[in-house]
Amino acid sequence: MACCHTLSIDCIHVLQARKFCGHFLCFGSSSHSLNRLSTMGCCGSSEQKQREWKPLEDRSCTDIPWLIIFALFCIGMACIAGFSISTGAASRLISGYDSYGNTCGQKNGKIEGVELSGRDQTDNKYVFFLDPCNIDILNRKIKSMALCVSRCPDRELKTYTDVKKFALQNGSELCSYDIPVFRYPSHGERSKKCPKLPVPPSKSLPVFHRCTPVDISCYAQFAEAFVTFVSDNSMLHRVIAGVMASKEIIMGLCVLALVLSIILMVVIRYISVVLVWMLTALVVLGSLGGTGVLWWLYVDHRMNLTDQTGTTPTPQQQLATGNVQALLVYAVIATVFTVILLLLLFFMRKRVALTITLFHVAGKVFTHLPLLALQPFWTFLSLMLFWVSWLGVFLFLGTTGSPVQSEETGLVEFRMSGPLQYMVWYHAVGLIWISQFILACQQMTVAGAVVTYYFTRNKSQLPMTPIVSSMLRLTRYHLGTVAKGSFIITLVEIPRLILTYIHNQLKGKENACARCMLKACICCLWCLKKCLTYLNQNAYTATAINSTSFCTSACDAFVILVENALRVATINTVGDFVLFLGKVLIVSCTAFVGVLSLNYQRDYTVWVLPLLIVCLFSWLVAHCFLSVFEIVVDVLFLCFAVDTKHNDGSPGREFYMDKALMEFVENSKKMAGRDRAEAGGDGREMKPMTHGGGTFA
């Protein structure tokens, strides 16, 4: 076995080793040259034997070092969570604290240098902000003095005399602790240490004991896009009332979107032919029509310009001449584009047929493996549980640290210093890596189930629950491979998010050149992430087939994809557009039913927000389910490419593929034989596949 396989070195090292030995990979090279990427030894070893694919025969643990690294990383995340809770941050987060470092609802220790710290706040359980609408959007916090009070003001207080009466009646002092209640109306610092007038009525948040104004219009600054909309309180109340009144219809329409997505995954195999050829016809007609219109406009403008010749050129005539020249350029470009498009469609018509066949087989997969439809539920549930726990720990970290008195205001804030600051960065990396790990587990699970379905000749011998068997194989053998693949995506995602954050922070400050460079870098990293995600998905499929390490699987999958580059391009363009049409169909049907439902109930006066909520949810649901369908199609294609590369239908090398794919292969063979006969060949029937690994058109 080649040492790049036995040692599972990274793909980068493989390419570097090949470059050192003088070998370079070229997309235009032959299949034999491409096969050498995954078969040659270190620096030109004499062992050149091609490794055979043996689907589902051998199982072994893959990328164990990466599993150990990922486990250690998760232990570090758990240690951060335990530290943030054990250092008292949890109590400060839930109970809140005032501007002098006192945690509300409990006794507090004295903070050196802070006079009003160390107070007994057992009876004062609520945090009250003197100016709750003074919001720092950049740092996302309220810039106001906070006090611990025994009761939130339940009515509007217009004068300091009203504030004094409220304190005497309820025992809840709304001014700073160093100001006596009887001096509220006359104290010289009441504008700084007493609440801003008028004091709005407020209520305590559940669990988190913060006094929040009943009228939340002042918080509209947090959502700048809705400032104008929510500033009209009557409109805001009507919208909220409309959403609350139509909540049953919204929930029903969301369930409808869920049902439509599941139905579409099953029936798409019957309508894929219509969708694909309808798309092809629309593209052809659109390109021909657009080209014809451009030539017609050119001829018409040129005839009008010819009629005006002989006169002194005017500015209008000069402008018309420029328009004629521009129309000529546009018409020529459109003509060239149309000719190229028609040629591509003509030569790729058989590959479009493969896309239709794969969609048909993918629909069969969902009928044989119905638990695949539940995979988005488990993934969504896992992500939500992780995100909620991550957010809780992040909030705990926000209040962890030592009390520091601000030199400007004299108020106390809790800040992390030294090594504690790196905990936030470690925690942020954990959010990306573990989220990508969960998504990769879904890809590997689906790939394992589909591979089991494809490479089982007798479908009656399938495991009772292939999806559960795939989960067990993933947990037992391939968690390290998933951890490594998700880490590669994390390495690309982190700099992209950092550059996006810098771009948003410098908005309006940087020059045009810097803004363009930042956007270009962000775009390049996004494209790189998409490419790596697609390669990772195929690497997981190769691992599910052969139980090889991530690097070996990625190299093998890359070779297969390059050998079938035109097929990959066809499937990814035509197939993605068909799935996009499916998403649009689900959203349109859900929105149509929503309009009818809201129109039937005349009490609902505001339709915009309920319909937007329904359309957004239906799009997300359709995207989740049809993304699983897309994964199934990609896995089927790689299995089909491997099957046709290493089998030819002869005894001992029978195909594994479905009957529909077998018919596609037979039709391709007949067309290839007919083309050869027409070209003056000897008329003998063409073999389905050469042993050298060639592929069908």
Side-chain angles (χ1 to χ4, degrees):
M1 184 67 68
C3 38
C4 64
H5 291 173
T6 56
L7 298 179
S8 301
I9 61 174
D10 291 343
C11 299
I12 297 176
H13 297 165
V14 174
L15 296 177
Q16 289 176 346
R18 288 180 58 81
K19 183 176 180 181
F20 177 78
C21 297
H23 299 284
F24 294 90
L25 178 63
C26 178
F27 281 90
S29 61
S30 64
S31 300
H32 176 69
S33 300
L34 289 169
N35 289 334
R36 291 194 301 171
L37 175 63
S38 60
T39 58
M40 76 174 301
C42 288
C43 296
S45 172
S46 60
E47 184 180 0
Q48 298 290 335
K49 184 177 179 180
Q50 181 176 346
R51 182 181 57 77
E52 295 183 0
W53 292 65
K54 297 181 179 180
L56 307 178
E57 291 187 12
D58 300 322
R59 282 291 140 194
S60 60
C61 295
T62 56
D63 298 297
I64 297 178
W66 280 94
L67 177 60
I68 297 174
I69 293 174
F70 183 73
L72 293 176
F73 183 86
C74 292
I75 292 174
M77 294 281 290
C79 292
I80 291 178
F83 172 80
S84 63
I85 296 175
S86 62
T87 53
S91 61
R92 285 198 294 270
L93 175 65
I94 297 175
S95 301
Y97 58 93
D98 62 16
S99 297
Y100 303 106
N102 302 300
T103 302
C104 300
Q106 66 181 41
K107 294 182 179 180
N108 297 275
K110 186 71 175 179
I111 299 176
E112 184 178 357
V114 182
E115 182 180 355
L116 297 177
S117 62
R119 298 174 63 89
D120 184 1
Q121 303 284 17
T122 305
D123 296 330
N124 300 324
K125 300 180 179 180
Y126 304 101
V127 180
F128 174 74
F129 297 97
L130 302 188
D131 187 7
C133 293
N134 186 9
I135 299 171
D136 183 0
I137 297 178
L138 184 62
N139 297 316
R140 297 172 179 85
K141 64 180 181 180
I142 299 176
K143 294 176 59 177
S144 170
M145 178 183 291
L147 301 173
C148 295
V149 298
S150 59
R151 182 177 176 181
C152 300
D154 54 359
R155 63 179 185 274
E156 185 179 30
L157 307 177
K158 298 181 179 180
T159 63
Y160 289 113
T161 303
D162 294 337
V163 176
K164 173 184 174 181
K165 292 180 180 179
F166 178 80
L168 294 174
Q169 293 173 359
N170 301 282
S172 184
E173 301 179 4
L174 303 183
C175 291
S176 181
Y177 309 133
D178 56 348
I179 300 180
V181 175
F182 64 88
R183 295 194 59 191
Y184 281 1
S186 58
H187 196 276
E189 294 184 321
R190 63 181 183 273
S191 60
K192 297 181 179 180
K193 296 186 176 182
C194 286
K196 181 180 178 180
L197 298 178
V199 181
S202 58
K203 292 183 179 179
S204 173
L205 291 174
V207 182
F208 299 95
H209 302 87
R210 270 75 168 177
C211 295
T212 307
V214 176
D215 185 2
I216 61 174
S217 59
C218 66
Y219 295 131
Q221 301 175 57
F222 277 120
E224 296 179 353
F226 297 96
V227 168
T228 305
F229 181 69
V230 301
S231 60
D232 184 0
N233 289 330
S234 60
M235 174 59 72
L236 178 63
H237 293 321
R238 286 201 303 271
V239 168
I240 296 177
V243 172
M244 295 303 296
S246 58
K247 60 181 181 295
E248 294 85 2
I249 291 181
I250 293 176
M251 295 177 62
L253 292 174
C254 292
V255 174
L256 175 63
L258 184 65
V259 174
L260 289 176
S261 300
I262 297 176
I263 294 175
L264 183 61
M265 287 194 301
V266 178
V267 304
I268 196 172
R269 68 179 188 177
Y270 301 109
I271 64 176
S272 58
V273 178
V274 178
L275 290 177
V276 169
W277 292 118
M278 182 178 67
L279 166 65
T280 305
L282 289 176
V283 170
V284 171
L285 292 176
S287 59
L288 291 175
T291 303
V293 168
L294 285 174
W295 280 112
W296 176 76
L297 290 175
Y298 166 72
V299 173
D300 182 64
H301 281 69
R302 184 175 179 81
M303 291 179 62
N304 293 335
L305 186 62
T306 304
D307 295 338
Q308 300 176 4
T309 56
T311 61
T312 304
T314 62
Q316 290 79 7
Q317 291 178 347
Q318 294 177 355
L319 181 61
T321 303
N323 291 336
V324 169
Q325 295 175 352
L327 284 172
L328 177 61
V329 173
Y330 295 153
V332 171
I333 294 176
T335 303
V336 174
F337 173 78
T338 301
V339 172
I340 294 175
L341 179 64
L342 293 177
L343 291 175
L344 286 175
L345 290 176
F346 176 77
F347 288 110
M348 296 178 67
R349 64 190 185 281
K350 291 182 289 185
R351 297 175 180 88
V352 173
L354 175 60
T355 303
I356 297 173
T357 306
L358 287 175
F359 270 67
H360 182 77
V361 178
K364 286 186 178 180
V365 171
F366 278 94
T367 57
H368 284 86
L369 310 178
L371 289 181
L372 277 178
L374 298 178
Q375 194 61 33
F377 288 107
W378 305 122
T379 304
F380 178 76
L381 181 62
S382 301
L383 286 174
M384 288 303 299
L385 290 175
F386 169 66
W387 289 343
V388 169
S389 60
W390 183 91
L391 181 61
V393 175
F394 181 76
L395 293 176
F396 291 153
L397 283 175
T399 53
T400 303
S402 304
V404 178
Q405 189 174 16
S406 174
E407 298 180 357
E408 297 179 1
T409 61
L411 305 180
V412 174
E413 297 178 355
F414 289 88
R415 299 176 183 173
M416 289 186 294
S417 58
L420 296 181
Q421 296 178 347
Y422 299 104
M423 287 187 178
V424 177
W425 291 102
Y426 189 98
H427 198 58
V429 173
L431 172 65
I432 302 174
W433 191 3
I434 297 179
S435 297
Q436 293 295 333
F437 178 83
I438 294 173
L439 294 174
C441 285
Q442 171 182 274
Q443 295 175 354
M444 178 70 87
T445 301
V446 174
V450 177
V451 165
T452 301
Y453 171 85
Y454 187 96
F455 289 106
T456 302
R457 298 186 189 276
N458 188 356
K459 305 305 180 187
S460 62
Q461 296 179 355
L462 283 171
M464 183 176 298
T465 53
I467 193 74
V468 176
S469 301
S470 180
M471 289 181 181
L472 295 177
R473 285 198 304 272
L474 166 63
T475 306
R476 183 177 180 181
Y477 297 111
H478 305 310
L479 285 178
T481 299
V482 172
K484 185 174 182 178
S486 57
F487 180 75
I488 292 175
I489 302 298
T490 304
L491 289 181
V492 179
E493 190 71 4
I494 290 176
R496 188 180 73 87
L497 294 177
I498 292 176
L499 290 178
T500 303
Y501 175 78
I502 294 175
H503 181 266
N504 292 333
Q505 293 297 315
L506 298 179
K507 188 173 295 184
K509 299 179 182 179
E510 78 279 17
N511 56 37
C513 181
R515 183 167 60 251
C516 181
M517 292 179 62
L518 277 176
K519 289 183 178 179
C521 292
I522 294 171
C523 181
C524 291
L525 289 173
W526 181 84
C527 295
L528 178 60
K529 176 194 171 185
K530 291 296 181 182
C531 295
L532 289 176
T533 300
Y534 182 73
L535 182 59
N536 280 9
Q537 179 180 311
N538 287 277
Y540 299 147
T541 303
T543 299
I545 297 174
N546 265 344
S547 190
T548 50
S549 63
F550 177 83
C551 186
T552 303
S553 299
C555 291
D556 293 341
F558 180 75
V559 171
I560 294 291
L561 294 176
V562 172
E563 289 177 347
N564 297 270
L566 291 179
R567 285 176 170 177
V568 172
T570 305
I571 293 172
N572 285 337
T573 52
V574 178
D576 288 352
F577 190 81
V578 170
L579 294 179
F580 172 76
L581 291 180
K583 297 174 187 178
V584 172
L585 177 64
I586 292 173
V587 174
S588 302
C589 293
T590 307
F592 178 72
V593 175
V595 170
L596 295 180
S597 302
L598 293 173
N599 183 61
Y600 179 75
Q601 300 290 338
R602 298 292 182 177
D603 296 336
Y604 306 143
T605 57
V606 179
W607 291 11
V608 177
L609 193 57
L611 280 179
L612 286 178
I613 294 174
V614 168
C615 291
L616 177 62
F617 184 83
S618 59
W619 176 266
L620 292 176
V621 170
H623 176 73
C624 291
F625 280 91
L626 293 182
S627 295
V628 174
F629 190 91
E630 183 179 3
I631 294 174
V632 172
V633 172
D634 291 336
V635 174
L636 284 174
F637 170 72
L638 191 66
C639 294
F640 171 76
V642 172
D643 194 10
T644 55
K645 180 176 181 179
H646 295 278
N647 298 303
D648 58 7
S650 60
R653 299 182 63 184
E654 295 84 359
F655 289 122
Y656 289 93
M657 64 187 65
D658 184 86
K659 181 180 178 181
L661 288 171
M662 191 78 72
E663 292 176 354
F664 169 80
V665 171
E666 293 296 330
N667 293 333
S668 299
K669 181 176 64 174
K670 292 177 181 178
M671 294 180 65
R674 186 167 57 250
D675 293 341
R676 181 177 177 180
E678 293 176 355
D682 56 6
R684 288 179 296 179
E685 185 178 6
M686 185 178 182
K687 290 184 179 180
M689 178 60 58
T690 61
H691 294 287
T695 56
F696 286 110

